PDB file of all heavy atoms in Angstrom:
ATOM      1  N   PRO A1314      -2.395  20.896  40.313  1.00  0.00           N
ATOM      2  CA  PRO A1314      -2.782  22.221  39.851  1.00  0.00           C
ATOM      3  C   PRO A1314      -4.132  22.154  39.164  1.00  0.00           C
ATOM      4  O   PRO A1314      -4.496  21.125  38.606  1.00  0.00           O
ATOM      5  CB  PRO A1314      -1.690  22.597  38.851  1.00  0.00           C
ATOM      6  CG  PRO A1314      -1.015  21.325  38.485  1.00  0.00           C
ATOM      7  CD  PRO A1314      -1.207  20.383  39.622  1.00  0.00           C
ATOM      8  N   ALA A1315      -4.874  23.254  39.214  1.00  0.00           N
ATOM      9  CA  ALA A1315      -6.213  23.273  38.632  1.00  0.00           C
ATOM     10  C   ALA A1315      -6.424  24.552  37.845  1.00  0.00           C
ATOM     11  O   ALA A1315      -5.866  25.604  38.172  1.00  0.00           O
ATOM     12  CB  ALA A1315      -7.258  23.161  39.736  1.00  0.00           C
ATOM     13  N   VAL A1316      -7.219  24.448  36.806  1.00  0.00           N
ATOM     14  CA  VAL A1316      -7.595  25.621  36.009  1.00  0.00           C
ATOM     15  C   VAL A1316      -9.125  25.708  36.016  1.00  0.00           C
ATOM     16  O   VAL A1316      -9.799  24.772  35.596  1.00  0.00           O
ATOM     17  CB  VAL A1316      -7.102  25.476  34.567  1.00  0.00           C
ATOM     18  CG1 VAL A1316      -7.572  26.647  33.723  1.00  0.00           C
ATOM     19  CG2 VAL A1316      -5.587  25.379  34.511  1.00  0.00           C
ATOM     20  N   ILE A1317      -9.639  26.817  36.528  1.00  0.00           N
ATOM     21  CA  ILE A1317     -11.100  26.970  36.587  1.00  0.00           C
ATOM     22  C   ILE A1317     -11.505  28.392  36.189  1.00  0.00           C
ATOM     23  O   ILE A1317     -10.683  29.298  36.253  1.00  0.00           O
ATOM     24  CB  ILE A1317     -11.657  26.670  37.998  1.00  0.00           C
ATOM     25  CG1 ILE A1317     -11.015  27.630  39.025  1.00  0.00           C
ATOM     26  CG2 ILE A1317     -11.394  25.238  38.420  1.00  0.00           C
ATOM     27  CD1 ILE A1317     -11.666  27.552  40.384  1.00  0.00           C
ATOM     28  N   PRO A1318     -12.755  28.566  35.778  1.00  0.00           N
ATOM     29  CA  PRO A1318     -13.228  29.907  35.491  1.00  0.00           C
ATOM     30  C   PRO A1318     -13.367  30.704  36.772  1.00  0.00           C
ATOM     31  O   PRO A1318     -13.648  30.146  37.818  1.00  0.00           O
ATOM     32  CB  PRO A1318     -14.592  29.674  34.830  1.00  0.00           C
ATOM     33  CG  PRO A1318     -14.988  28.290  35.205  1.00  0.00           C
ATOM     34  CD  PRO A1318     -13.755  27.517  35.520  1.00  0.00           C
ATOM     35  N   ASP A1319     -13.187  32.000  36.659  1.00  0.00           N
ATOM     36  CA  ASP A1319     -13.275  32.839  37.850  1.00  0.00           C
ATOM     37  C   ASP A1319     -14.740  33.182  38.117  1.00  0.00           C
ATOM     38  O   ASP A1319     -15.234  34.255  37.776  1.00  0.00           O
ATOM     39  CB  ASP A1319     -12.455  34.120  37.651  1.00  0.00           C
ATOM     40  CG  ASP A1319     -12.287  34.872  38.970  1.00  0.00           C
ATOM     41  OD1 ASP A1319     -13.037  34.584  39.912  1.00  0.00           O
ATOM     42  OD2 ASP A1319     -11.410  35.747  39.030  1.00  0.00           O
ATOM     43  N   GLU A1320     -15.437  32.263  38.760  1.00  0.00           N
ATOM     44  CA  GLU A1320     -16.879  32.373  38.926  1.00  0.00           C
ATOM     45  C   GLU A1320     -17.259  33.468  39.922  1.00  0.00           C
ATOM     46  O   GLU A1320     -18.317  34.077  39.786  1.00  0.00           O
ATOM     47  CB  GLU A1320     -17.455  31.034  39.425  1.00  0.00           C
ATOM     48  CG  GLU A1320     -17.172  29.856  38.519  1.00  0.00           C
ATOM     49  CD  GLU A1320     -18.142  29.750  37.369  1.00  0.00           C
ATOM     50  OE1 GLU A1320     -18.914  30.708  37.165  1.00  0.00           O
ATOM     51  OE2 GLU A1320     -18.148  28.728  36.670  1.00  0.00           O
ATOM     52  N   ILE A1321     -16.445  33.694  40.902  1.00  0.00           N
ATOM     53  CA  ILE A1321     -16.754  34.747  41.895  1.00  0.00           C
ATOM     54  C   ILE A1321     -16.807  36.086  41.200  1.00  0.00           C
ATOM     55  O   ILE A1321     -17.786  36.828  41.318  1.00  0.00           O
ATOM     56  CB  ILE A1321     -15.689  34.773  43.012  1.00  0.00           C
ATOM     57  CG1 ILE A1321     -15.644  33.413  43.704  1.00  0.00           C
ATOM     58  CG2 ILE A1321     -16.027  35.866  44.021  1.00  0.00           C
ATOM     59  CD1 ILE A1321     -14.612  33.335  44.819  1.00  0.00           C
ATOM     60  N   GLU A1322     -15.766  36.359  40.441  1.00  0.00           N
ATOM     61  CA  GLU A1322     -15.730  37.634  39.721  1.00  0.00           C
ATOM     62  C   GLU A1322     -16.884  37.709  38.721  1.00  0.00           C
ATOM     63  O   GLU A1322     -17.441  38.775  38.489  1.00  0.00           O
ATOM     64  CB  GLU A1322     -14.372  37.753  39.010  1.00  0.00           C
ATOM     65  CG  GLU A1322     -14.055  39.137  38.490  1.00  0.00           C
ATOM     66  CD  GLU A1322     -14.210  40.235  39.543  1.00  0.00           C
ATOM     67  OE1 GLU A1322     -13.838  40.001  40.713  1.00  0.00           O
ATOM     68  OE2 GLU A1322     -14.751  41.309  39.193  1.00  0.00           O
ATOM     69  N   ALA A1323     -17.243  36.572  38.147  1.00  0.00           N
ATOM     70  CA  ALA A1323     -18.366  36.544  37.218  1.00  0.00           C
ATOM     71  C   ALA A1323     -19.661  36.934  37.911  1.00  0.00           C
ATOM     72  O   ALA A1323     -20.479  37.684  37.367  1.00  0.00           O
ATOM     73  CB  ALA A1323     -18.502  35.144  36.598  1.00  0.00           C
ATOM     74  N   GLY A1324     -19.845  36.426  39.129  1.00  0.00           N
ATOM     75  CA  GLY A1324     -21.033  36.784  39.901  1.00  0.00           C
ATOM     76  C   GLY A1324     -21.066  38.278  40.159  1.00  0.00           C
ATOM     77  O   GLY A1324     -22.105  38.947  39.984  1.00  0.00           O
ATOM     78  N   ARG A1325     -19.919  38.827  40.547  1.00  0.00           N
ATOM     79  CA  ARG A1325     -19.837  40.275  40.805  1.00  0.00           C
ATOM     80  C   ARG A1325     -20.192  41.045  39.531  1.00  0.00           C
ATOM     81  O   ARG A1325     -20.935  42.029  39.567  1.00  0.00           O
ATOM     82  CB  ARG A1325     -18.430  40.650  41.252  1.00  0.00           C
ATOM     83  CG  ARG A1325     -17.945  39.888  42.483  1.00  0.00           C
ATOM     84  CD  ARG A1325     -16.501  40.245  42.826  1.00  0.00           C
ATOM     85  NE  ARG A1325     -16.378  41.642  43.186  1.00  0.00           N
ATOM     86  CZ  ARG A1325     -16.429  42.097  44.417  1.00  0.00           C
ATOM     87  NH1 ARG A1325     -16.568  41.245  45.421  1.00  0.00           N
ATOM     88  NH2 ARG A1325     -16.341  43.391  44.673  1.00  0.00           N
ATOM     89  N   LEU A1326     -19.681  40.546  38.417  1.00  0.00           N
ATOM     90  CA  LEU A1326     -19.886  41.217  37.135  1.00  0.00           C
ATOM     91  C   LEU A1326     -21.363  41.237  36.771  1.00  0.00           C
ATOM     92  O   LEU A1326     -21.916  42.272  36.371  1.00  0.00           O
ATOM     93  CB  LEU A1326     -19.079  40.474  36.057  1.00  0.00           C
ATOM     94  CG  LEU A1326     -18.893  41.117  34.710  1.00  0.00           C
ATOM     95  CD1 LEU A1326     -18.399  42.557  34.859  1.00  0.00           C
ATOM     96  CD2 LEU A1326     -17.899  40.303  33.873  1.00  0.00           C
ATOM     97  N   ALA A1327     -22.020  40.113  36.940  1.00  0.00           N
ATOM     98  CA  ALA A1327     -23.446  40.038  36.609  1.00  0.00           C
ATOM     99  C   ALA A1327     -24.243  41.034  37.446  1.00  0.00           C
ATOM    100  O   ALA A1327     -25.113  41.753  36.936  1.00  0.00           O
ATOM    101  CB  ALA A1327     -23.971  38.615  36.828  1.00  0.00           C
ATOM    102  N   ALA A1328     -23.900  41.076  38.741  1.00  0.00           N
ATOM    103  CA  ALA A1328     -24.599  42.005  39.615  1.00  0.00           C
ATOM    104  C   ALA A1328     -24.319  43.437  39.210  1.00  0.00           C
ATOM    105  O   ALA A1328     -25.214  44.295  39.179  1.00  0.00           O
ATOM    106  CB  ALA A1328     -24.152  41.777  41.063  1.00  0.00           C
ATOM    107  N   ARG A1329     -23.082  43.707  38.866  1.00  0.00           N
ATOM    108  CA  ARG A1329     -22.703  45.071  38.518  1.00  0.00           C
ATOM    109  C   ARG A1329     -23.412  45.557  37.254  1.00  0.00           C
ATOM    110  O   ARG A1329     -23.710  46.751  37.123  1.00  0.00           O
ATOM    111  CB  ARG A1329     -21.170  45.149  38.351  1.00  0.00           C
ATOM    112  CG  ARG A1329     -20.575  46.421  38.936  1.00  0.00           C
ATOM    113  CD  ARG A1329     -19.068  46.397  38.902  1.00  0.00           C
ATOM    114  NE  ARG A1329     -18.491  45.418  39.787  1.00  0.00           N
ATOM    115  CZ  ARG A1329     -17.544  44.548  39.446  1.00  0.00           C
ATOM    116  NH1 ARG A1329     -17.084  44.523  38.199  1.00  0.00           N
ATOM    117  NH2 ARG A1329     -17.075  43.707  40.328  1.00  0.00           N
ATOM    118  N   VAL A1330     -23.664  44.646  36.324  1.00  0.00           N
ATOM    119  CA  VAL A1330     -24.384  45.007  35.107  1.00  0.00           C
ATOM    120  C   VAL A1330     -25.729  45.602  35.478  1.00  0.00           C
ATOM    121  O   VAL A1330     -26.148  46.635  34.935  1.00  0.00           O
ATOM    122  CB  VAL A1330     -24.594  43.775  34.196  1.00  0.00           C
ATOM    123  CG1 VAL A1330     -25.594  44.091  33.102  1.00  0.00           C
ATOM    124  CG2 VAL A1330     -23.255  43.350  33.598  1.00  0.00           C
ATOM    125  N   LEU A1331     -26.410  44.962  36.417  1.00  0.00           N
ATOM    126  CA  LEU A1331     -27.726  45.450  36.830  1.00  0.00           C
ATOM    127  C   LEU A1331     -27.593  46.763  37.611  1.00  0.00           C
ATOM    128  O   LEU A1331     -28.363  47.704  37.386  1.00  0.00           O
ATOM    129  CB  LEU A1331     -28.438  44.405  37.681  1.00  0.00           C
ATOM    130  CG  LEU A1331     -28.778  43.093  36.950  1.00  0.00           C
ATOM    131  CD1 LEU A1331     -29.460  42.109  37.895  1.00  0.00           C
ATOM    132  CD2 LEU A1331     -29.686  43.384  35.736  1.00  0.00           C
ATOM    133  N   LEU A1332     -26.604  46.808  38.502  1.00  0.00           N
ATOM    134  CA  LEU A1332     -26.401  48.032  39.280  1.00  0.00           C
ATOM    135  C   LEU A1332     -26.101  49.197  38.360  1.00  0.00           C
ATOM    136  O   LEU A1332     -26.671  50.295  38.504  1.00  0.00           O
ATOM    137  CB  LEU A1332     -25.237  47.828  40.272  1.00  0.00           C
ATOM    138  CG  LEU A1332     -25.515  46.836  41.407  1.00  0.00           C
ATOM    139  CD1 LEU A1332     -24.218  46.561  42.168  1.00  0.00           C
ATOM    140  CD2 LEU A1332     -26.588  47.373  42.350  1.00  0.00           C
ATOM    141  N   ASP A1333     -25.238  48.956  37.378  1.00  0.00           N
ATOM    142  CA  ASP A1333     -24.862  50.015  36.450  1.00  0.00           C
ATOM    143  C   ASP A1333     -26.061  50.509  35.649  1.00  0.00           C
ATOM    144  O   ASP A1333     -26.125  51.663  35.235  1.00  0.00           O
ATOM    145  CB  ASP A1333     -23.773  49.543  35.499  1.00  0.00           C
ATOM    146  CG  ASP A1333     -22.436  49.388  36.212  1.00  0.00           C
ATOM    147  OD1 ASP A1333     -22.342  49.799  37.383  1.00  0.00           O
ATOM    148  OD2 ASP A1333     -21.477  48.856  35.600  1.00  0.00           O
ATOM    149  N   ALA A1334     -27.016  49.596  35.399  1.00  0.00           N
ATOM    150  CA  ALA A1334     -28.204  49.989  34.651  1.00  0.00           C
ATOM    151  C   ALA A1334     -29.181  50.769  35.546  1.00  0.00           C
ATOM    152  O   ALA A1334     -30.183  51.271  35.068  1.00  0.00           O
ATOM    153  CB  ALA A1334     -28.885  48.777  34.057  1.00  0.00           C
TER     154      ALA A1334
END
Side-chain angles (χ1 to χ4, degrees):
Chain A
V1316 176
I1317 59 170
D1319 192 344
E1320 303 277 11
I1321 301 179
E1322 194 50 41
R1325 304 176 64 93
L1326 192 50
R1329 220 174 292 132
V1330 167
L1331 295 179
L1332 292 170
D1333 289 352

